[in-house]
Amino acid sequence: MLRHRPPGHISHLQFARSLGDILVVSVSSDSNVNKGVNRPLIPDDLRAGSLAALECVDWVYLNPDPTAVNLLEALRPDVYVKGKEYERNNDPRFLEERDTVSATRPGGVLEW
């Protein structure tokens, strides 16, 4: 499973798809995009539709939650792919996601 990546990151999505049998991409809902006034620039339905149109993406999930924890608990992925910027990130939201992968799937792997 992969959290939403901006549309220009197709190679990252292709890499994520190469790591498993199915690629599920989680798109943050508009209400959870806190990047300033008049954001997001592209509404969640258009972001999700753009991702769904890519051959490497099997499923797109429009996430109503602020983190991917509930989705991770439901899917129990073997591999969870995040962007390189999360590799040394100590944000409690990401740490909770990391811990969820470890707890729900022993041997679960995080990839950058």
Side-chain angles (χ1 to χ4, degrees):
M1 187 193 71
L2 175 73
R3 273 295 263 180
H4 164 70
R5 302 295 304 159
H9 290 71
I10 292 173
S11 62
H12 189 71
L13 293 165
Q14 291 169 329
F15 166 72
R17 179 62 176 87
S18 76
L19 298 175
D21 298 324
I22 297 172
L23 178 61
V24 177
V25 180
S26 174
V27 175
S28 298
S29 65
D30 288 347
S31 62
N32 287 306
V33 176
N34 303 312
K35 294 187 174 184
V37 178
N38 298 321
R39 296 295 295 267
L41 298 175
I42 301 171
D44 53 23
D45 61 333
L46 291 179
R47 290 182 280 130
S50 295
L51 288 163
L54 297 173
E55 186 175 322
C56 62
V57 176
D58 297 295
W59 296 93
V60 177
Y61 176 73
L62 186 55
N63 192 356
D65 301 314
T67 70
V69 169
N70 289 335
L71 182 59
L72 291 167
E73 288 174 341
L75 293 180
R76 301 179 58 225
D78 294 318
V79 181
Y80 182 47
V81 181
K82 294 282 279 188
K84 195 78 166 154
E85 68 272 19
Y86 290 94
E87 190 170 15
R88 291 184 173 77
N89 190 314
N90 289 319
D91 183 306
R93 295 169 298 180
F94 167 64
L95 296 177
E96 185 180 13
E97 292 174 3
R98 181 199 64 198
D99 292 346
T100 300
V101 170
S102 299
T104 60
R105 176 69 72 177
V109 176
L110 261 77
E111 288 284 340
W112 317 107

mmCIF file of all heavy atoms in Angstrom, residues 2-19 23 25 50-51 54-57 81-84 111-112:
data_model
loop_
_atom_site.group_PDB
_atom_site.id
_atom_site.type_symbol
_atom_site.label_atom_id
_atom_site.label_comp_id
_atom_site.label_asym_id
_atom_site.label_seq_id
_atom_site.Cartn_x
_atom_site.Cartn_y
_atom_site.Cartn_z
ATOM 1 N N LEU A 2 0.398 2.274 -0.609
ATOM 2 C CA LEU A 2 1.156 3.509 -0.708
ATOM 3 C C LEU A 2 0.266 4.679 -0.380
ATOM 4 O O LEU A 2 -0.851 4.763 -0.863
ATOM 5 C CB LEU A 2 1.696 3.649 -2.134
ATOM 6 C CG LEU A 2 2.429 4.914 -2.502
ATOM 7 C CD1 LEU A 2 3.804 4.911 -1.841
ATOM 8 C CD2 LEU A 2 2.579 5.002 -3.993
ATOM 9 N N ARG A 3 0.739 5.570 0.448
ATOM 10 C CA ARG A 3 0.039 6.830 0.691
ATOM 11 C C ARG A 3 0.159 7.678 -0.562
ATOM 12 O O ARG A 3 1.116 7.569 -1.300
ATOM 13 C CB ARG A 3 0.699 7.598 1.821
ATOM 14 C CG ARG A 3 0.294 7.337 3.232
ATOM 15 C CD ARG A 3 -1.051 7.666 3.657
ATOM 16 N NE ARG A 3 -1.142 8.951 4.314
ATOM 17 C CZ ARG A 3 -2.261 9.422 4.768
ATOM 18 N NH1 ARG A 3 -3.355 8.752 4.649
ATOM 19 N NH2 ARG A 3 -2.300 10.573 5.341
ATOM 20 N N HIS A 4 -0.785 8.573 -0.777
ATOM 21 C CA HIS A 4 -0.812 9.420 -1.967
ATOM 22 C C HIS A 4 0.502 10.134 -2.228
ATOM 23 O O HIS A 4 1.118 10.668 -1.341
ATOM 24 C CB HIS A 4 -1.908 10.479 -1.826
ATOM 25 C CG HIS A 4 -1.766 11.610 -2.787
ATOM 26 N ND1 HIS A 4 -1.990 11.454 -4.128
ATOM 27 C CD2 HIS A 4 -1.374 12.872 -2.603
ATOM 28 C CE1 HIS A 4 -1.763 12.610 -4.717
ATOM 29 N NE2 HIS A 4 -1.395 13.488 -3.819
ATOM 30 N N ARG A 5 0.921 10.110 -3.460
ATOM 31 C CA ARG A 5 2.083 10.853 -3.941
ATOM 32 C C ARG A 5 1.591 11.806 -5.011
ATOM 33 O O ARG A 5 0.677 11.486 -5.747
ATOM 34 C CB ARG A 5 3.128 9.905 -4.543
ATOM 35 C CG ARG A 5 3.631 8.851 -3.585
ATOM 36 C CD ARG A 5 4.384 9.398 -2.421
ATOM 37 N NE ARG A 5 5.482 10.194 -2.891
ATOM 38 C CZ ARG A 5 6.093 11.123 -2.182
ATOM 39 N NH1 ARG A 5 5.707 11.388 -0.982
ATOM 40 N NH2 ARG A 5 7.089 11.811 -2.678
ATOM 41 N N PRO A 6 2.183 12.984 -5.123
ATOM 42 C CA PRO A 6 1.764 13.908 -6.187
ATOM 43 C C PRO A 6 1.870 13.256 -7.563
ATOM 44 O O PRO A 6 2.665 12.337 -7.764
ATOM 45 C CB PRO A 6 2.763 15.057 -6.046
ATOM 46 C CG PRO A 6 3.198 15.006 -4.626
ATOM 47 C CD PRO A 6 3.205 13.538 -4.272
ATOM 48 N N PRO A 7 1.060 13.727 -8.527
ATOM 49 C CA PRO A 7 1.002 13.088 -9.847
ATOM 50 C C PRO A 7 2.348 12.968 -10.556
ATOM 51 O O PRO A 7 2.515 12.088 -11.392
ATOM 52 C CB PRO A 7 0.041 13.987 -10.635
ATOM 53 C CG PRO A 7 -0.786 14.647 -9.598
ATOM 54 C CD PRO A 7 0.089 14.787 -8.389
ATOM 55 N N GLY A 8 3.329 13.811 -10.268
ATOM 56 C CA GLY A 8 4.621 13.745 -10.929
ATOM 57 C C GLY A 8 5.503 12.615 -10.448
ATOM 58 O O GLY A 8 6.606 12.428 -10.949
ATOM 59 N N HIS A 9 5.050 11.821 -9.534
ATOM 60 C CA HIS A 9 5.874 10.773 -8.947
ATOM 61 C C HIS A 9 5.517 9.388 -9.491
ATOM 62 O O HIS A 9 5.467 8.409 -8.752
ATOM 63 C CB HIS A 9 5.743 10.805 -7.428
ATOM 64 C CG HIS A 9 6.384 11.994 -6.808
ATOM 65 N ND1 HIS A 9 5.882 13.258 -6.919
ATOM 66 C CD2 HIS A 9 7.512 12.098 -6.082
ATOM 67 C CE1 HIS A 9 6.656 14.096 -6.266
ATOM 68 N NE2 HIS A 9 7.656 13.425 -5.751
ATOM 69 N N ILE A 10 5.309 9.301 -10.774
ATOM 70 C CA ILE A 10 4.900 8.030 -11.383
ATOM 71 C C ILE A 10 5.954 6.945 -11.177
ATOM 72 O O ILE A 10 5.616 5.794 -10.893
ATOM 73 C CB ILE A 10 4.565 8.223 -12.870
ATOM 74 C CG1 ILE A 10 3.301 9.075 -12.978
ATOM 75 C CG2 ILE A 10 4.386 6.885 -13.576
ATOM 76 C CD1 ILE A 10 2.936 9.494 -14.367
ATOM 77 N N SER A 11 7.227 7.307 -11.258
ATOM 78 C CA SER A 11 8.267 6.282 -11.065
ATOM 79 C C SER A 11 8.213 5.713 -9.648
ATOM 80 O O SER A 11 8.477 4.526 -9.453
ATOM 81 C CB SER A 11 9.654 6.839 -11.379
ATOM 82 O OG SER A 11 9.971 7.900 -10.515
ATOM 83 N N HIS A 12 7.846 6.532 -8.667
ATOM 84 C CA HIS A 12 7.718 6.049 -7.290
ATOM 85 C C HIS A 12 6.554 5.061 -7.189
ATOM 86 O O HIS A 12 6.658 4.031 -6.519
ATOM 87 C CB HIS A 12 7.516 7.233 -6.342
ATOM 88 C CG HIS A 12 7.597 6.872 -4.901
ATOM 89 N ND1 HIS A 12 8.771 6.525 -4.279
ATOM 90 C CD2 HIS A 12 6.640 6.788 -3.953
ATOM 91 C CE1 HIS A 12 8.539 6.256 -3.012
ATOM 92 N NE2 HIS A 12 7.258 6.398 -2.790
ATOM 93 N N LEU A 13 5.471 5.354 -7.871
ATOM 94 C CA LEU A 13 4.330 4.439 -7.889
ATOM 95 C C LEU A 13 4.683 3.129 -8.590
ATOM 96 O O LEU A 13 4.311 2.051 -8.128
ATOM 97 C CB LEU A 13 3.132 5.102 -8.576
ATOM 98 C CG LEU A 13 2.521 6.282 -7.832
ATOM 99 C CD1 LEU A 13 1.612 7.070 -8.756
ATOM 100 C CD2 LEU A 13 1.781 5.808 -6.596
ATOM 101 N N GLN A 14 5.411 3.220 -9.684
ATOM 102 C CA GLN A 14 5.834 2.014 -10.399
ATOM 103 C C GLN A 14 6.766 1.179 -9.528
ATOM 104 O O GLN A 14 6.668 -0.059 -9.508
ATOM 105 C CB GLN A 14 6.498 2.388 -11.723
ATOM 106 C CG GLN A 14 5.518 2.961 -12.717
ATOM 107 C CD GLN A 14 6.190 3.579 -13.930
ATOM 108 O OE1 GLN A 14 7.298 4.098 -13.851
ATOM 109 N NE2 GLN A 14 5.500 3.532 -15.057
ATOM 110 N N PHE A 15 7.663 1.838 -8.801
ATOM 111 C CA PHE A 15 8.547 1.136 -7.871
ATOM 112 C C PHE A 15 7.709 0.421 -6.810
ATOM 113 O O PHE A 15 7.927 -0.756 -6.527
ATOM 114 C CB PHE A 15 9.527 2.119 -7.221
ATOM 115 C CG PHE A 15 10.241 1.555 -6.035
ATOM 116 C CD1 PHE A 15 11.236 0.591 -6.185
ATOM 117 C CD2 PHE A 15 9.913 1.976 -4.750
ATOM 118 C CE1 PHE A 15 11.883 0.060 -5.082
ATOM 119 C CE2 PHE A 15 10.567 1.449 -3.652
ATOM 120 C CZ PHE A 15 11.552 0.494 -3.808
ATOM 121 N N ALA A 16 6.757 1.120 -6.231
ATOM 122 C CA ALA A 16 5.904 0.525 -5.201
ATOM 123 C C ALA A 16 5.163 -0.691 -5.757
ATOM 124 O O ALA A 16 5.079 -1.734 -5.101
ATOM 125 C CB ALA A 16 4.917 1.562 -4.683
ATOM 126 N N ARG A 17 4.654 -0.577 -6.959
ATOM 127 C CA ARG A 17 3.920 -1.687 -7.580
ATOM 128 C C ARG A 17 4.826 -2.898 -7.796
ATOM 129 O O ARG A 17 4.399 -4.040 -7.660
ATOM 130 C CB ARG A 17 3.315 -1.227 -8.911
ATOM 131 C CG ARG A 17 2.540 -2.312 -9.649
ATOM 132 C CD ARG A 17 1.357 -2.778 -8.794
ATOM 133 N NE ARG A 17 0.531 -3.734 -9.480
ATOM 134 C CZ ARG A 17 0.747 -5.048 -9.494
ATOM 135 N NH1 ARG A 17 1.782 -5.561 -8.882
ATOM 136 N NH2 ARG A 17 -0.087 -5.853 -10.115
ATOM 137 N N SER A 18 6.100 -2.644 -8.079
ATOM 138 C CA SER A 18 7.032 -3.748 -8.319
ATOM 139 C C SER A 18 7.321 -4.558 -7.057
ATOM 140 O O SER A 18 7.828 -5.668 -7.146
ATOM 141 C CB SER A 18 8.345 -3.219 -8.905
ATOM 142 O OG SER A 18 9.138 -2.594 -7.901
ATOM 143 N N LEU A 19 6.963 -4.027 -5.904
ATOM 144 C CA LEU A 19 7.254 -4.698 -4.635
ATOM 145 C C LEU A 19 6.166 -5.664 -4.189
ATOM 146 O O LEU A 19 6.333 -6.370 -3.195
ATOM 147 C CB LEU A 19 7.478 -3.648 -3.534
ATOM 148 C CG LEU A 19 8.649 -2.694 -3.749
ATOM 149 C CD1 LEU A 19 8.677 -1.642 -2.645
ATOM 150 C CD2 LEU A 19 9.960 -3.452 -3.809
ATOM 151 N N LEU A 23 -1.225 -2.858 -5.821
ATOM 152 C CA LEU A 23 -0.883 -1.537 -5.299
ATOM 153 C C LEU A 23 -2.158 -0.788 -4.954
ATOM 154 O O LEU A 23 -2.993 -0.521 -5.817
ATOM 155 C CB LEU A 23 -0.069 -0.728 -6.316
ATOM 156 C CG LEU A 23 0.292 0.699 -5.879
ATOM 157 C CD1 LEU A 23 1.140 0.684 -4.606
ATOM 158 C CD2 LEU A 23 1.010 1.429 -7.010
ATOM 159 N N VAL A 25 -3.331 2.766 -3.354
ATOM 160 C CA VAL A 25 -2.835 4.106 -3.076
ATOM 161 C C VAL A 25 -3.882 4.834 -2.246
ATOM 162 O O VAL A 25 -5.048 4.911 -2.622
ATOM 163 C CB VAL A 25 -2.547 4.900 -4.365
ATOM 164 C CG1 VAL A 25 -2.037 6.292 -4.037
ATOM 165 C CG2 VAL A 25 -1.555 4.155 -5.239
ATOM 166 N N SER A 50 -6.949 10.637 -11.138
ATOM 167 C CA SER A 50 -5.673 10.639 -11.869
ATOM 168 C C SER A 50 -4.861 9.411 -11.516
ATOM 169 O O SER A 50 -4.253 8.775 -12.391
ATOM 170 C CB SER A 50 -4.873 11.903 -11.556
ATOM 171 O OG SER A 50 -5.541 13.042 -12.021
ATOM 172 N N LEU A 51 -4.828 9.067 -10.241
ATOM 173 C CA LEU A 51 -4.080 7.891 -9.811
ATOM 174 C C LEU A 51 -4.725 6.602 -10.324
ATOM 175 O O LEU A 51 -4.029 5.684 -10.751
ATOM 176 C CB LEU A 51 -3.973 7.866 -8.288
ATOM 177 C CG LEU A 51 -3.039 8.914 -7.706
ATOM 178 C CD1 LEU A 51 -3.293 9.105 -6.221
ATOM 179 C CD2 LEU A 51 -1.599 8.531 -7.966
ATOM 180 N N LEU A 54 -3.749 5.290 -13.776
ATOM 181 C CA LEU A 54 -2.422 4.738 -14.022
ATOM 182 C C LEU A 54 -2.456 3.217 -14.024
ATOM 183 O O LEU A 54 -3.074 2.596 -13.157
ATOM 184 C CB LEU A 54 -1.439 5.230 -12.956
ATOM 185 C CG LEU A 54 -1.197 6.733 -12.915
ATOM 186 C CD1 LEU A 54 -0.337 7.096 -11.705
ATOM 187 C CD2 LEU A 54 -0.540 7.198 -14.208
ATOM 188 N N GLU A 55 -1.781 2.627 -14.972
ATOM 189 C CA GLU A 55 -1.763 1.169 -15.116
ATOM 190 C C GLU A 55 -1.176 0.470 -13.890
ATOM 191 O O GLU A 55 -1.606 -0.629 -13.535
ATOM 192 C CB GLU A 55 -0.959 0.797 -16.358
ATOM 193 C CG GLU A 55 -1.000 -0.673 -16.684
ATOM 194 C CD GLU A 55 -0.292 -0.989 -17.988
ATOM 195 O OE1 GLU A 55 -0.387 -0.206 -18.933
ATOM 196 O OE2 GLU A 55 0.364 -2.045 -18.027
ATOM 197 N N CYS A 56 -0.232 1.088 -13.222
ATOM 198 C CA CYS A 56 0.429 0.445 -12.085
ATOM 199 C C CYS A 56 -0.410 0.465 -10.813
ATOM 200 O O CYS A 56 -0.088 -0.220 -9.842
ATOM 201 C CB CYS A 56 1.795 1.083 -11.837
ATOM 202 S SG CYS A 56 1.736 2.836 -11.414
ATOM 203 N N VAL A 57 -1.495 1.228 -10.788
ATOM 204 C CA VAL A 57 -2.335 1.359 -9.592
ATOM 205 C C VAL A 57 -3.544 0.444 -9.718
ATOM 206 O O VAL A 57 -4.307 0.535 -10.675
ATOM 207 C CB VAL A 57 -2.785 2.830 -9.395
ATOM 208 C CG1 VAL A 57 -3.740 2.955 -8.220
ATOM 209 C CG2 VAL A 57 -1.566 3.735 -9.192
ATOM 210 N N VAL A 81 4.842 1.606 1.450
ATOM 211 C CA VAL A 81 5.814 2.481 0.796
ATOM 212 C C VAL A 81 5.464 3.934 1.100
ATOM 213 O O VAL A 81 4.323 4.355 0.919
ATOM 214 C CB VAL A 81 5.821 2.254 -0.733
ATOM 215 C CG1 VAL A 81 6.841 3.156 -1.401
ATOM 216 C CG2 VAL A 81 6.111 0.792 -1.050
ATOM 217 N N LYS A 82 6.469 4.663 1.554
ATOM 218 C CA LYS A 82 6.346 6.101 1.813
ATOM 219 C C LYS A 82 7.444 6.804 1.035
ATOM 220 O O LYS A 82 8.403 6.190 0.596
ATOM 221 C CB LYS A 82 6.531 6.410 3.305
ATOM 222 C CG LYS A 82 5.466 5.857 4.218
ATOM 223 C CD LYS A 82 4.198 6.656 4.210
ATOM 224 C CE LYS A 82 4.283 7.864 5.100
ATOM 225 N NZ LYS A 82 3.012 8.564 5.261
ATOM 226 N N GLY A 83 7.327 8.106 0.917
ATOM 227 C CA GLY A 83 8.365 8.889 0.255
ATOM 228 C C GLY A 83 9.630 8.944 1.090
ATOM 229 O O GLY A 83 9.612 8.764 2.310
ATOM 230 N N LYS A 84 10.736 9.202 0.433
ATOM 231 C CA LYS A 84 12.051 9.259 1.086
ATOM 232 C C LYS A 84 12.066 10.257 2.249
ATOM 233 O O LYS A 84 12.798 10.079 3.219
ATOM 234 C CB LYS A 84 13.103 9.633 0.035
ATOM 235 C CG LYS A 84 14.502 9.384 0.463
ATOM 236 C CD LYS A 84 14.845 7.925 0.356
ATOM 237 C CE LYS A 84 16.332 7.720 0.461
ATOM 238 N NZ LYS A 84 16.663 6.407 0.962
ATOM 239 N N GLU A 111 9.206 0.639 2.979
ATOM 240 C CA GLU A 111 10.123 0.998 1.899
ATOM 241 C C GLU A 111 10.029 2.491 1.661
ATOM 242 O O GLU A 111 8.988 3.102 1.875
ATOM 243 C CB GLU A 111 9.779 0.253 0.603
ATOM 244 C CG GLU A 111 10.100 -1.210 0.629
ATOM 245 C CD GLU A 111 11.576 -1.506 0.477
ATOM 246 O OE1 GLU A 111 12.329 -0.655 -0.016
ATOM 247 O OE2 GLU A 111 11.986 -2.625 0.857
ATOM 248 N N TRP A 112 11.103 3.054 1.199
ATOM 249 C CA TRP A 112 11.150 4.497 0.926
ATOM 250 C C TRP A 112 11.204 4.686 -0.529
ATOM 251 O O TRP A 112 11.731 5.061 -1.281
ATOM 252 C CB TRP A 112 12.313 5.146 1.653
ATOM 253 C CG TRP A 112 12.439 4.643 3.057
ATOM 254 C CD1 TRP A 112 13.382 3.796 3.533
ATOM 255 C CD2 TRP A 112 11.567 4.904 4.157
ATOM 256 N NE1 TRP A 112 13.156 3.518 4.851
ATOM 257 C CE2 TRP A 112 12.057 4.204 5.267
ATOM 258 C CE3 TRP A 112 10.424 5.684 4.313
ATOM 259 C CZ2 TRP A 112 11.447 4.234 6.509
ATOM 260 C CZ3 TRP A 112 9.824 5.716 5.554
ATOM 261 C CH2 TRP A 112 10.336 4.999 6.636
#
